[in-house]
Amino acid sequence: MNYRSILVTALALGLSTTSVWSATSDNSTLEQGQYLVRAADCAACHTKEGGTPYAGGAPIATPFGTVYGTNIRPDKEYGIGDYSADEFYHVLTEGELPDGTQLYPAMPYTAYHSIARSDSDAMYAYLMSLKPLNIEAPETDLSWPFSMRWTLNFWNLMFAGESPGDAKDQSEQWQRGRYMVDVLGHCGECHTPRNALGALERDNHLQGGVIAGYEAPSLTPDELADRGWTPEDLQTFLREGMSDQGTMFSEMYTVFHHSSRYLRDEDLKAMSLYLMGENPPDARIVDAGNRAGADSPGRRHYLNVCAGCHGAQGEGVPHVAVAMEGNTTLRLDDGRNLVKVIYDGIGAQKFSGFERMQAMPGFADKLSSAEIAELVNYLRQTWGGLDATIDAAAVDELTAKNE
Amino acid sequence: MPARSLKVTINGQAQPVEDIPEELMMLDYLHEYRNLTGTRFGCGQGMCRACTVIVDKPDGSSEEVRTCITGAHYFDGKKIRTVEGHAQRDEEGHIKTLSTVQQQFLEHFSFQCSYCAPGFVNAATVLVERLQRQPIARSQLENTISEALESHICRCTGYVRYFEAVRDAVLKTPGTTKEAS
C-alpha cells in the first residue's frame, strides 16, 4: 500500500491526519522513536506499576504533593491522539499542552527543551503507532499555592532557564553524551540539588540531589572517581544494572529497567565520556582495612546480620549479594543511602541476562538506631575510608521521614 | 578466627557458655556445637527458610529468624526454639506428645522429602502463638496462613497439604479465631 492509498483509506475511514502520520512512518523511524522514548525514560512516569506501558497513572511524589504521569498513548480523550507532531514537540520542549495548560515541571520539559525536532518526530511516530487506550490518569494533588497552575508561568520565567551552549570545542562524542545525559536522559532532574521552590540549582549541575528519601549521588568526574568509578564501570552499570561498585536500587533501578539497559554501547560510551571527561581521573581504591577496630560493636553487628550474605571479609557472594569492598554506597560522604537500605531493605531485583539479586531484609525491627549507627560507621570506616560520623540521632532523622 | 563467649538458651535449656568463633553462623553452631541437626541448611542465602528457628522475646511474643545468614552471636542472651523443642518428652528424652502443629503435619502427611518441614513447623508455630495473642476472624484465616507461610519454599511443592495442616492446627487451638472481625 503506497502513501496515496493509505491517505485515501484513512480519509475514507474518517481517521485524523495523526493516524496517517504513524501509518506512514517506516520501521526504522518507529525503531528510532522507540529507542528515543526509552532513552528519555518516558515509561518511568507514564506507566503505573503493573500497568500497560505509556497508559499513565504512575504517581510521582514531590515535596508539594503527588503528580500523576498521564496517558501518552494515541487516545483522543486522555492521550495524545489529537496532537499534531508540532503540538507534541511543543509539549515536550515547553511543557505546555495544545490548550495552553502548563504542565508541572515534574515533566522534565526544561531538560527536553533541547530535544532535536527530528528526534521529537520519531518519538511522536512511535507513540502514535501504539494501540490507543481510553485510560484517564488520577487528578494531580498538590498543596496550595502549587495547585494553581498559573503560578507556573512565573516559575518558568524564573527557573526554566536557557539551553546549554553549543560547546563547539568539545568532541562529537562528548556532545552526544551531553545530549543523552542532560537532555534525553534528564539525569540532572535527580542528580542536581533543588531549591525551596523545587527548581534545579543550575550552578550545582549533577552535584547530587535527594529523591524519595535517597541520595542521587554527585556525577561530577572527581566525585565519581573518588567513589571508585571508571568510565568502563559506568557503562557496565548502566547496561547491566550492576557492576563492581554494587547494584542499582531505589529510583535508579526503575531507570535501568525502563531506559538505560536499552541504550546502545556507543551512547553509553558517550555518556561516560561526558560525565568523566576525555581524561578521567583515576578511580580511588580504598584498602579494606581495620580502621574501626576488630572488636568494634559495628564489626559484631556486621558478623551477626550481614556477613552471612555479604561475606565475613566483605567479599560478597556472586549472583547473590554485593561485595562491601569497593561498594560505592559505602563511600558516599552522606550516610543517608546506607542507613536507609539497612533500615528498609531492598526488594528482590532482576538485572540483565539471568542476573538476579535476592531481597535484602530491612533491619528496622532487628537493630536499634544506635546499633544501625555503629554498623554504618563500621562499614564506612572499613570499606569507605570515611570517619565515624553517624550517630543514633542521625539515623532517627533519616528514617523518620522521606524528603 | 577470633572467638567470643556465647550464652544462649535453646529449647528451654541454658547452653554451656563457651568461646564461639565470631564469624560462625547460627546454623553451624546448632549443628557443630549442640548436635541439633534438625535445623536444615537449604539455600544458604536466607531464601528457602528451611533454617528457620524461633526466638522467644521478653514480651512473650515469638518470631522466626533464619540461621544460615544470621551469626551465632546475634542470639547472645536470647531464648530460641528449634524443631527438636516442640514435642513433649519423658525423662529419658523419648517423645511423648507432638505439638499440635506437628500432629497436624503428620495427619495431613504434609511433607514429602521433609527437608523444609522444620522451617514450616517453626513458622506455623509462630503463627499459632501469634493468633493466640491476637485472634483473627475466621474469614481471614486463609489469607493469614498464606502470608505467614508464603516465604517458605518446598521443592516438593507440598504447599496445599502444609496449608491445610496449619489451618487445622489453628482451628484446633482454642482462642485463635473468632466468628466475626
Side-chain angles (χ1 to χ4, degrees), chain A residues 106-155:
Chain A
M107 192 283 199
Y109 55 86
T110 54
Y112 293 160
H113 190 68
S114 302
I115 280 183
R117 176 60 199 255
S118 58
D119 284 352
S120 171
D121 287 350
M123 294 166 79
Y124 173 76
Y126 169 69
L127 292 172
M128 292 299 283
S129 75
L130 302 175
K131 180 183 175 186
L133 290 175
N134 191 244
I135 298 173
E136 183 180 14
E139 277 288 316
T140 285
D141 179 23
L142 295 189
S143 59
W144 190 87
F146 307 103
S147 53
M148 298 188 295
R149 281 188 189 261
W150 59 267
T151 60
L152 290 167
N153 295 319
F154 295 104
W155 192 95

Side-chain angles (χ1 to χ4, degrees), chain B residues 36-144:
Chain B
L36 293 170
T37 55
T39 301
R40 304 295 194 201
F41 180 83
C43 64
Q45 301 170 11
M47 294 288 288
C48 73
R49 298 183 187 244
C51 67
T52 296
V53 300
I54 299 172
V55 171
D56 289 310
K57 298 190 202 177
D59 66 1
S61 63
S62 56
E63 68 172 343
E64 299 175 62
V65 179
R66 290 163 283 180
T67 58
C68 76
I69 58 167
T70 309
H73 289 278
Y74 172 82
F75 297 85
D76 191 40
K78 292 184 167 65
K79 295 178 178 176
I80 73 167
R81 277 178 283 164
T82 68
V83 72
E84 292 93 343
H86 294 288
Q88 291 186 353
R89 297 171 188 268
D90 61 21
E91 291 176 351
E92 293 181 349
H94 298 131
I95 290 174
K96 289 195 303 182
T97 315
L98 294 175
S99 72
T100 305
V101 169
Q102 288 175 312
Q103 187 62 43
Q104 290 307 313
F105 277 22
L106 265 184
E107 290 181 12
H108 286 265
F109 198 67
S110 295
F111 34 77
Q112 293 175 53
C113 83
S114 88
Y115 202 84
C116 63
F120 272 98
V121 167
N122 287 332
T125 302
V126 167
L127 171 64
V128 171
E129 291 172 353
R130 173 163 65 87
L131 296 183
Q132 286 179 295
R133 296 191 305 275
Q134 300 165 332
I136 57 166
R138 172 69 182 81
S139 59
Q140 297 173 345
L141 185 54
E142 310 291 328
N143 285 342
T144 303

Side-chain angles (χ1 to χ4, degrees), chain A residues 171-178 266 269-271 273-274:
Chain A
S171 68
E172 193 175 321
Q173 193 179 23
W174 184 94
Q175 298 201 44
R176 176 65 179 173
R178 184 172 70 166
E266 61 264 31
K269 283 180 184 173
M271 292 169 75
L273 178 82
Y274 169 66

Side-chain angles (χ1 to χ4, degrees), chain A residues 82-100:
Chain A
D82 274 338
Y83 289 20
S84 67
D86 286 342
E87 289 169 336
F88 180 79
Y89 177 68
H90 187 73
V91 174
L92 202 60
T93 56
E94 303 295 338
E96 187 181 56
L97 300 181
D99 66 2

Side-chain angles (χ1 to χ4, degrees), chain B residues 4-49:
Chain B
R4 264 185 306 127
S5 68
L6 174 66
K7 181 181 181 183
V8 64
T9 298
I10 302 176
N11 300 330
Q13 294 186 334
Q15 302 301 304
V17 178
E18 57 188 315
D19 283 349
I20 304 297
E22 285 191 326
E23 298 176 6
L24 200 72
M25 290 296 116
M26 186 56 172
L27 183 127
D28 296 319
Y29 170 75
L30 292 172
H31 285 196
E32 306 300 333
Y33 287 76
R34 302 279 77 95
N35 197 30
L36 293 170
T37 55
T39 301
R40 304 295 194 201
F41 180 83
C43 64
Q45 301 170 11
M47 294 288 288
C48 73
R49 298 183 187 244

